[in-house]
Amino acid sequence: MKILHIPVLCDEIIENLYIHNKTTNIIDCTLGEGGMSEEILSTIEDVYIFGIDTDSSILNIAKERLSKYKNIDLINENYINLSKNKKINKDIHNIIFDLGLSNYHLRNSNKGFSFDSNNILDMRFDESENLTAHQIINQYNKKELLTIFKEYADFPINSNTNKFIEYIVQKRPIDTCENLKKICLNFYRNLPYNKAIQNITRIFQAIRIEVNNEFENIKKGLENAFNVIEPKGRILAITYHSGEDRIVKNIFREYKSNNNIEKKFKLINKKVIKPTFKEQKTNSSSRSAKLRIIERVI
Ligand SMILES: C[S@@+](CC[C@H](N)C(=O)[O-])C[C@H]1O[C@@H](n2cnc3c(N)ncnc32)[C@H](O)[C@@H]1O
């Protein structure tokens, strides 16, 4: 078993958990290879974790890695269903979201997440879902492509973006990651190489977000989390790009200022928590990470 993902902001997550005076129950909504959960299991004495991941292949890796722990339950599920899942049968004191994808997806999943691979464009975390990256890039019309590049990768609506989309449509069919990367590099040939690669990274990101319905899932997942968290409990969310962070920030603000007398929430950190310089240096995937935490007061 080769572990590829180094968990991000782990110390900061552990320091900010609500520790219950009996067992501290946690939902790790994005278990991945289980790095974050393993740190928690080995640091906090009396803890129970429900570890969720929608990708069954990465969950199998976590299963092997965490097999020595009896106080974790692994659940192959989309976190949008966390409040309905019958296995989650304890009071919940902390809910963690470590959003986005794992290094496992980029380097080992063969599902076409990385533009440095020659896999078929797929990008589904959950392979039972229907929509693939291949369908998006080959079947979406120009308006639909413009929407996802704008909404999920902050591409400006201007003539250059329109020309890029026109170019993609002319080059169809596009089957593999390598194929798509070459087409993009050709379109951006007048840009410095690192700028072109930045654009390609954002294009792959936009397609992945659309395939996995990620923005809608974050909204639904957080709504569920607000429903199940116990008083004094905390929701902790790590984001990796502006689109994700905007959603978390807005939903946290909304809950903080709502006037529901039965449930009140307060923000734990007014400013986002970022990885230390040392963490950013040792784990480049952590560079863009931002942690936001909210607590249910009553
Ligand atoms: C950044 S990784 C988590 C890494 C993990 N914290 C660790 O330490 O290894 C994000 C994980 O969330 C999973 N994921 C993405 N969307 C999901 C969803 N809607 N429901 C459940 N899991 C999801 C992905 O499959 C991926 O494994």
Side-chain angles (χ1 to χ4, degrees):
M1 174 188 46
K2 194 163 179 241
I3 298 298
L4 297 168
H5 189 84
I6 306 171
V8 171
L9 286 166
C10 232
D11 292 347
E12 291 79 356
I13 289 274
I14 292 173
E15 275 162 25
N16 282 290
L17 292 171
Y18 161 48
I19 304 296
H20 194 261
N21 54 14
K22 291 187 184 139
T23 306
T24 300
N25 299 322
I26 299 174
I27 305 179
D28 180 349
C29 288
T30 48
L31 183 75
E33 291 173 323
M36 175 87 73
S37 274
E38 182 163 41
E39 281 291 320
I40 296 172
L41 289 163
S42 59
T43 312
I44 297 177
E45 225 167 82
D46 191 359
V47 70
Y48 195 93
I49 300 182
F50 296 97
I52 301 179
D53 206 291
T54 191
D55 181 335
S56 57
S57 49
I58 203 166
L59 200 78
N60 283 333
I61 298 174
K63 193 171 179 184
E64 199 182 331
R65 177 184 200 170
L66 302 170
S67 57
K68 66 173 176 188
Y69 296 97
K70 299 283 165 276
N71 46 343
I72 182 161
D73 215 341
L74 303 189
I75 304 172
N76 184 206
E77 175 73 280
N78 191 316
Y79 60 60
I80 61 171
N81 298 321
L82 71 91
S83 62
K84 287 189 238 151
N85 196 293
K86 296 264 186 312
K87 274 188 165 183
I88 304 179
N89 53 4
K90 297 179 192 286
D91 290 346
I92 297 301
H93 307 118
N94 297 278
I95 304 180
I96 302 168
F97 293 86
D98 180 11
L99 298 168
L101 80 173
S102 160
N103 270 340
Y104 162 84
H105 290 112
L106 289 170
R107 289 168 43 197
N108 206 21
S109 72
N110 301 329
K111 291 204 239 182
F113 285 99
S114 165
F115 53 73
D116 284 329
S117 77
N118 196 20
N119 298 130
I120 295 287
L121 287 158
D122 185 323
M123 299 196 196
R124 287 170 299 170
F125 290 133
D126 174 357
E127 284 171 65
S128 68
E129 291 293 335
N130 290 323
L131 184 65
T132 66
H134 191 271
Q135 285 165 12
I136 291 171
I137 214 68
N138 289 290
Q139 292 170 21
Y140 271 27
N141 65 31
K142 291 179 204 165
K143 198 167 157 230
E144 288 167 326
L145 288 174
L146 182 64
T147 304
I148 67 163
F149 292 147
K150 177 179 161 283
E151 299 291 325
Y152 303 151
D154 293 328
F155 271 71
I157 300 189
N158 62 21
S159 58
N160 204 38
T161 306
N162 284 325
K163 274 187 207 151
F164 170 67
I165 289 169
E166 189 76 46
Y167 191 69
I168 292 274
V169 169
Q170 274 171 23
K171 295 289 175 190
R172 287 169 173 177
I174 303 169
D175 291 325
T176 63
C177 298
E178 195 177 44
N179 200 196
L180 179 59
K181 180 183 176 184
K182 271 192 191 149
I183 290 166
C184 297
L185 277 178
N186 204 25
F187 181 82
Y188 291 117
R189 62 189 172 280
N190 294 328
L191 287 183
Y193 184 73
N194 67 332
K195 280 267 168 223
I197 290 293
Q198 274 171 17
N199 282 351
I200 297 170
T201 307
R202 284 159 62 209
I203 289 157
F204 271 68
Q205 171 186 300
I207 300 169
R208 189 200 87 218
I209 292 172
E210 175 74 356
V211 168
N212 296 293
N213 202 17
E214 288 181 36
F215 282 10
E216 274 312 303
N217 286 348
I218 299 172
K219 288 179 200 157
K220 288 186 192 152
L222 287 174
E223 295 290 344
N224 268 275
F226 279 103
N227 280 335
V228 305
I229 196 79
E230 284 292 304
K232 295 192 187 162
R234 291 182 171 188
I235 301 169
L236 308 95
I238 304 174
T239 63
Y240 293 88
H241 57 85
S242 56
E244 280 176 346
D245 190 54
R246 239 181 340 257
I247 298 173
V248 174
K249 183 171 79 182
N250 289 340
I251 296 185
F252 278 16
R253 277 197 185 148
E254 213 178 281
Y255 273 83
K256 187 204 105 186
S257 42
N258 86 1
N259 290 320
N260 181 341
I261 39 169
E262 279 164 34
K263 281 190 188 179
K264 283 209 186 302
F265 294 90
K266 73 169 187 205
L267 296 177
I268 293 300
N269 53 324
K270 303 250 157 32
K271 277 194 172 169
V272 289
I273 298 172
K274 292 187 183 163
T276 58
F277 182 61
K278 188 172 161 212
E279 180 172 4
Q280 292 186 42
K281 233 176 137 191
T282 49
N283 180 10
S284 59
S285 326
S286 75
R287 275 185 208 145
S288 56
K290 289 178 180 168
L291 169 62
R292 293 182 187 273
I293 306 163
I294 194 163
E295 177 179 299
R296 178 171 167 193
V297 184
I298 49 169

